């Protein structure tokens, strides 16, 4: 068995006195495609930042491909929530996407043709090559989301972490992003967090539910009981009229 | 108007002003794009503490200003990175504390009370060549640093978290940015004054933002606008004293020229209807 892509061991983190993560254990195998599901404010973004090494947990151990996150720079791709960006920043799409190459080019080393080719390749993969010279302030939410995914892929990561990748995508775009993620999970580990139950397409291999503590479900079976425990209230499973996934047996209320 | 150019003192002031525009345009574009232009005000006023300390303790006020400027940029950097919240609060505190220390030390200093006003608006009419060389050296340092580290400065300004994930030393880049900003302000404070340094760092960059979509473009346009403001202010000052016998200091006129250009630019921009 190879080294797991991500391993969290008893991770806890509190902001001031408010616990955000409590004793989270998680093991993500290489080339898994995992969705972490949870309500707003349950610590999903915090969990991603802990894995990325942007936040240090109060207790517990985080390993990314067997190493501390700080030592794994350049192997982790990060797609943040696009809503938090300053769209007034003077920068073009191509410049944002090329930022992924910073991992391969240390200080004082300019980007070269090889880097520009990789950036171009990812622009084309995300079908946004025609937007390359547009300022980011002129993009729609869905387009910006694709730019951020392209940037993360330009880093050529081993593990791709996405924060609410469907937050503002319309159904048509959303579905094709999931097709892309499914395709990507052939070559890298993909972990996404979302509060949107409907967003979990049939391509996701595993599901974990987070609400301060984490519950892993190694199968694709998502039951109402599991969701109820996560969301703290009865949740009805909806298929959104899409041929998404085979759902587990429902509880009495459905 | 043109005859002003034949006065050696005017030539030196003009060259110093144009050189200052380069430093201000480049650093100004970075801090305005990152929405932290108020650090310029905080650092400029923090430097006053050093000026006062220098007067009191009997060493060069500029040395004190440099020390206080660097200390203030470290304090702002630590507050921003470690305490997460409250960048604006820390800037305001650094601002007020710097001024308070400066005024206290000046009050403690017996006898001659130095004119603090000259540190606010500078004394653009007396610029020695040695100062012109100092500003030129500052330009070389800033342009070289930003040119060599452009991709890192751009990434850190746009998205610190992704920059960190991509392995950029975000802390060091932020301290470098704040440190360069402090050096620029301290260098400019002696002759153009603190207020003018703030104005030249922020207003031309804000004008440039109206018309550019890249950070590089914003830097170039900001340098140009700063240069135009400087020239405009200096010639206005000269014209007022020649034709109306008004001795108008050039510093405030440069600030007002910049504000006027910003107003025209903002109107033209909204008339053009982009965003």
């Amino acid at each position: 068995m190879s080294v797991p892509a991500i391993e969290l061991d008893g991770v806890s983190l509190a902001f001031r006195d408010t616990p955000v993560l409590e004793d989270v254990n998680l093991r993500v195998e290489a080339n898994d495609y995992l969705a972490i599901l949870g309500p707003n404010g349950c610590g999903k973004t915090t969990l991603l930042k802990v894995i990325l090494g942007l936040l240090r947990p109060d207790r517990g151990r985080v390993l990314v491909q067997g190493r501390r996150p700080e030592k794994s720079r350049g192997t982790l791709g990060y797609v943040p929530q696009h809503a938090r960006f300053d769209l007034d920043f003077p920068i073009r799409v191509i410049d944002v996407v090329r930022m992924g190459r910073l991992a391969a080019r240390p200080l004082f080393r300019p980007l070269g043709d090889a880097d520009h080719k990789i950036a171009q390749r990812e622009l084309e993969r995300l079908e946004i090559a025609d937007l390359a010279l547009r300022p980011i302030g002129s993009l729609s939410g869905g387009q910006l989301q694709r730019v951020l995914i392209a940037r993360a892929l330009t880093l050529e990561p081993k593990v791709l972490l996405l924060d609410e990748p469907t937050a503002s995508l319309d159904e048509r775009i959303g579905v094709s992003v999931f097709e892309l993620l499914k395709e990507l999970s052939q070559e890298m580990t993909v972990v996404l967090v979302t509060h949107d139950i409907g967003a979990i397409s049939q391509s996701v291999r595993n599901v974990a539910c987070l609400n301060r503590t984490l519950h892993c479900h190694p199968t694709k079976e998502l039951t109402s009981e599991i969701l109820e425990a996560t969301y703290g209230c009865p949740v009805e499973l909806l298929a959104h009229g899409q041929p998404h996934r085979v759902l587990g047996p429902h509880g009495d209320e459905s | 108007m043109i005859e002003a150019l034949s006065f050696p003192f005017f030539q030196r002031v003009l060259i110093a002003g144009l050189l200052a525009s380069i430093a201000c345009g480049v650093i100004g574009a970075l801090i305005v794009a990152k929405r932290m232009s108020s650090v310029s005000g905080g650092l400029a006023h923090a430097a006053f503490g050093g000026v006062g300390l220098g007067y009191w303790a009997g060493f060069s006020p500029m040395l004190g200003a440099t020390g206080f400027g660097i200390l203030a940029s470290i304090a702002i950097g630590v507050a921003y990175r470690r305490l997460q919240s409250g960048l604006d609060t820390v800037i305001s505190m650094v601002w007020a504390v710097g001024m308070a220390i400066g005024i206290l030390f000046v009050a403690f200093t017996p006898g001659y009370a130095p004119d603090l006003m000259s540190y606010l608006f500078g004394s653009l009419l007396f610029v020695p060549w040695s100062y012109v060389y100092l500003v030129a050296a500052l330009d070389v340092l800033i342009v070289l640093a930003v040119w060599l580290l452009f991709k890192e400065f751009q990434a850190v300004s746009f998205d610190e978290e992704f920059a960190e994930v991509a392995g950029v030393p975000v802390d060091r880049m932020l301290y470098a940015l704040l440190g360069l900003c402090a050096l620029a302000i301290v260098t400019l404070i002696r002759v153009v004054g603190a207020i003018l340094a703030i104005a030249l760092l922020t207003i031309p960059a804000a004008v440039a933002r109206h018309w550019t979509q890249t950070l590089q473009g914003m830097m170039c346009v900001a340098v140009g606008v700063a240069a135009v403001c400087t020239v405009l202010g200096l010639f206005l000052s000269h014209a007022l004293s020649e034709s109306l016998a008004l001795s108008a200091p050039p510093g405030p006129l440069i600030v007002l020229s910049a504000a006027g250009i910003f107003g025209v630019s903002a109107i033209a921009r909204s008339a053009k209807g982009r965003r």
Side-chain angles (χ1 to χ4, degrees), chain B residues 169-224:
Chain B
V170 174
D171 275 335
R172 275 183 279 163
M173 294 305 300
L174 279 170
Y175 287 121
L177 176 59
L178 288 168
L180 286 176
C181 193
L183 277 184
I185 287 168
V186 167
T187 310
L188 299 175
I189 220 171
R190 182 66 195 96
V191 167
V192 302
I195 304 297
L196 185 51
I198 298 169
L200 284 181
L201 278 165
T202 53
I203 302 176
V207 172
R209 182 64 194 97
H210 288 154
W211 306 104
T212 53
Q213 302 295 355
T214 64
L215 199 51
Q216 301 94 310
M218 191 170 160
M219 287 176 179
C220 296
V221 173
V223 169

Side-chain angles (χ1 to χ4, degrees), chain A residues 5 66 73 118 137 155 163 166 199 225 231 233:
Chain A
R73 297 284 185 239
I118 293 167
L155 196 143
D163 197 348
T166 56
E225 287 82 3
Y231 282 78
C233 61

Side-chain angles (χ1 to χ4, degrees), chain B:
Chain B
M1 289 293 273
I2 303 303
E3 84 281 355
L5 287 174
S6 61
F7 302 127
F9 83 90
F10 194 86
Q11 293 168 1
R12 287 198 299 272
V13 168
L14 191 63
I15 293 170
L18 291 175
L19 288 173
S21 302
I22 298 175
C24 288
V26 172
I27 295 295
L30 278 170
I31 61 172
V32 167
K34 194 163 170 48
R35 292 183 182 274
M36 55 193 297
S37 57
S38 58
V39 297
S40 62
L43 291 174
H45 288 85
F48 270 80
V51 171
L53 180 65
Y55 275 123
W56 180 71
F59 57 82
S60 157
M62 290 314 293
L63 204 63
T66 309
F68 268 58
I70 298 293
L71 276 180
S73 61
I74 292 171
I76 291 172
V78 168
Y80 179 57
R81 288 292 288 173
R82 297 276 165 262
L83 309 179
Q84 300 295 321
S85 62
L87 177 65
D88 55 342
T89 313
V90 174
I91 288 173
S92 300
M93 284 197 288
V94 162
W95 186 311
V97 169
M99 284 295 272
I101 292 175
I103 288 168
L104 267 185
F105 276 122
V106 167
F108 291 161
T109 309
Y112 166 69
D115 182 11
L116 275 182
M117 276 300 280
S118 78
Y119 281 90
L120 277 177
F121 275 101
S123 46
L124 265 174
L125 293 180
F126 178 69
V127 177
W129 276 114
S130 62
Y131 178 77
V132 175
Y133 298 143
L134 186 65
V135 181
L138 173 77
D139 282 343
V140 171
L141 176 69
I142 286 177
V143 171
L144 210 61
V146 172
W147 183 53
L148 288 175
L149 294 168
F150 182 79
K151 67 186 196 307
E152 284 82 13
F153 274 122
Q154 177 177 256
V156 169
S157 304
F158 177 64
D159 185 351
E160 283 169 29
E161 286 180 345
F162 187 86
E164 190 155 344
V165 167
V168 175
V170 174
D171 275 335
R172 275 183 279 163
M173 294 305 300
L174 279 170
Y175 287 121
L177 176 59
L178 288 168
L180 286 176
C181 193
L183 277 184
I185 287 168
V186 167
T187 310
L188 299 175
I189 220 171
R190 182 66 195 96
V191 167
V192 302
I195 304 297
L196 185 51
I198 298 169
L200 284 181
L201 278 165
T202 53
I203 302 176
V207 172
R209 182 64 194 97
H210 288 154
W211 306 104
T212 53
Q213 302 295 355
T214 64
L215 199 51
Q216 301 94 310
M218 191 170 160
M219 287 176 179
C220 296
V221 173
V223 169
V225 173
V228 168
C229 301
T230 309
V231 172
L232 207 61
L234 287 174
F235 275 102
L236 269 176
S237 162
H238 180 76
L240 283 174
S241 72
E242 287 292 296
S243 55
L244 300 172
L246 282 173
S247 80
L253 289 170
I254 293 175
V255 175
L256 293 178
S257 305
I261 290 176
F262 177 81
V264 171
S265 169
I267 291 166
R269 175 63 195 269
S270 60
K272 208 176 165 221
R274 286 197 304 172
R275 281 162 54 76

Side-chain angles (χ1 to χ4, degrees), chain A residues 4-31:
Chain A
I6 300 168
E7 203 175 2
L8 270 66
D9 194 5
V11 167
S12 298
L13 178 65
F15 289 138
R16 303 256 163 89
D17 294 327
T18 312
V20 182
L21 299 174
E22 273 181 52
D23 193 27
V24 171
N25 297 291
L26 175 68
R27 188 184 161 98
V28 185
E29 299 300 337
N31 288 31

